[in-house]
């Protein structure tokens, strides 16, 4: 069975540009979450979607947005990129919400903003 | 503010040693505690703990949760060079998020 898949794996963007990252959860999983991991730190929560509705939002500016599609895949959009947005963006999937469900991570998308 | 603290931040041991990694937490509406191993990119799931005092084991790895004292430990016995990685502790909360610690960087020397 395929795990959590993310694309692209690496990308380089210029300050001020916009980026879209994509995630396909494990088959049968209905929840997708997004995390940002800066080098040397633990991942920081950005969004959680369950059954196509936003169920949780972290402390990130409105430049960050996401959505979940009917097939449970998800996109994370970041507008007006800043140098500080350079990080590994991780997508996680689980069958249901946080309670009692194991959460699996994808390989991540490395974003470099120059 | 929800907080997860891991210690030590870095640990270097010799192959064959036993190590104990610590994770303490202060969160609102605790749901679960998870341990992950991160070598290059994707954190790989190790354990999920929800009940106090019940040890979970997988090969040379084991973990236990103390919900009264708000901490968990991850033990690795007979360490191997392949155990070298960053170990992440995360707490699942009612706000539908995982709160991660900073991680413990474990290096196993042959």
């Amino acid at each position: 069975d395929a795990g959590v898949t993310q694309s692209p794996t690496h990308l380089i963007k210029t300050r001020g540009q916009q980026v879209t990252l994509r995630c396909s959860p494990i088959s049968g999983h209905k929840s997708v979450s997004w995390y940002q991991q800066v080098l040397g730190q633990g991942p920081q929560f950005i969004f959680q979607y369950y059954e196509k509705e936003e169920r949780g939002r972290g402390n990130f500016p409105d430049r960050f947005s996401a959505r979940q599609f009917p097939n449970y895949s998800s996109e994370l959009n970041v507008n007006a990129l800043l140098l500080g947005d350079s990080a590994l963006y991780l997508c996680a999937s689980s069958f249901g919400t946080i309670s009692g469900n194991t959460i699996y991570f994808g390989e991540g998308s490395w974003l470099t903003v120059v | 503010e929800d907080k997860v603290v891991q210690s030590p931040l870095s640990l270097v041991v010799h192959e064959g040693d036993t190590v104990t990694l610590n994770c303490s937490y202060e969160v609102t509406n605790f749901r679960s505690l998870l341990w992950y191993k991160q070598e290059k990119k994707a954190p790989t799931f190790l354990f999920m703990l929800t009940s106090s005092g019940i040890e979970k084991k997988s090969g040379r790895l084991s973990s236990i949760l103390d919900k009264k004292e708000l901490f968990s430990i991850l033990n690795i016995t007979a360490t191997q060079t392949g155990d070298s990685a960053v170990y992440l502790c995360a707490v699942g909360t009612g706000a539908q998020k995982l709160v991660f610690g900073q991680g413990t960087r474990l290096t196993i020397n042959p």
Side-chain angles (χ1 to χ4, degrees), chain A:
Chain A
D1 281 344
V4 182
T5 56
Q6 292 187 243
S7 63
T9 53
H10 293 84
L11 67 166
I12 300 173
K13 291 284 188 178
T14 304
R15 273 178 298 177
Q17 284 188 316
Q18 176 262 344
V19 67
T20 298
L21 308 178
R22 295 176 177 83
C23 172
S24 292
I26 293 169
S27 177
H29 284 192
K30 300 179 180 180
S31 173
V32 168
S33 302
W34 288 95
Y35 290 80
Q36 181 197 64
Q37 188 175 22
V38 173
L39 209 60
Q41 296 184 17
Q44 296 289 315
F45 172 72
I46 311 175
F47 288 110
Q48 197 246 0
Y49 279 79
Y50 176 64
E51 287 283 16
K52 291 151 279 183
E53 288 188 10
E54 182 184 302
R55 299 299 183 102
R57 175 183 283 252
N59 223 8
F60 280 79
D62 291 343
R63 300 185 294 109
F64 289 76
S65 63
R67 54 181 175 167
Q68 186 176 34
F69 298 101
N71 66 353
Y72 301 109
S73 68
S74 178
E75 284 182 353
L76 175 71
N77 293 288
V78 187
N79 293 323
L81 285 167
L82 303 174
L83 295 179
D85 295 330
S86 296
L88 177 66
Y89 287 86
L90 293 163
C91 175
S93 91
S94 61
F95 177 75
T97 58
I98 285 282
S99 298
N101 284 290
T102 303
I103 298 159
Y104 299 94
F105 284 85
E107 291 287 315
S109 295
W110 275 109
L111 171 65
T112 302
V113 182
V114 297

Side-chain angles (χ1 to χ4, degrees), chain B residues 6 21 23 33-36 45-47 63 72 74 88-89:
Chain B
Q6 292 186 243
L21 309 183
C23 175
L33 187 142
L34 298 92
W35 285 96
Y36 291 89
F45 172 77
L46 296 175
F47 297 110
S63 183
S72 174
L74 175 68
L88 294 166
C89 172

Side-chain angles (χ1 to χ4, degrees), chain B residues 16 25 29 34 49 51 53 59 64 95 99 101:
Chain B
Y25 62 90
N29 202 353
L34 298 92
L49 304 154
S51 301
I64 197 161
V99 181

